Amino acid sequence: MAGSALGAGLVGVVAALALGFTVVGGAAVTAQRSAGAADAAALAAADAASGAVVAVEPPCALAARVAQAAGAALLDCTLEGFVATVRVQAAYAGLAAVSRARAGPPEG
């Protein structure tokens, strides 16, 4: 009887650890997806602002579309000349990952 209780307890601990690792892994993937979406959105906005990419929509609207295609939502977009700064958010299991990126021509 004691062995059955020990076995059941061990199964419970392993199940809890597996669930925890799954949540942590999903959150890490979401953070990386958010960072990638921010990079892509900032590059799209900067390219549209500089004229490197011909776009019929404003640079920040293009950034929002790129972020959405990458699985994130654009929270903020600012342009200073040809430099774009964006903030995006991606969600996983009720957790939000917010990333910021900046893109534009090199300084100097």
Side-chain angles (χ1 to χ4, degrees), residues 7-103:
L10 187 57
V11 167
V13 168
V14 169
L17 284 173
L19 179 62
F21 285 137
T22 300
V23 171
V24 169
V29 167
T30 302
Q32 290 301 311
R33 187 178 76 223
S34 175
D39 289 342
L43 286 168
D47 284 348
S50 70
V53 172
V54 178
V56 295
E57 55 195 337
C60 287
L62 181 61
R65 192 161 49 98
V66 168
Q68 183 179 17
L74 183 69
L75 298 177
D76 188 38
C77 176
T78 58
L79 287 171
E80 295 176 11
F82 297 141
V83 177
T85 304
V86 300
R87 219 169 33 104
V88 303
Q89 176 180 341
Y92 172 77
L95 302 172
V98 177
S99 296
R100 180 180 173 274
R102 182 179 171 151

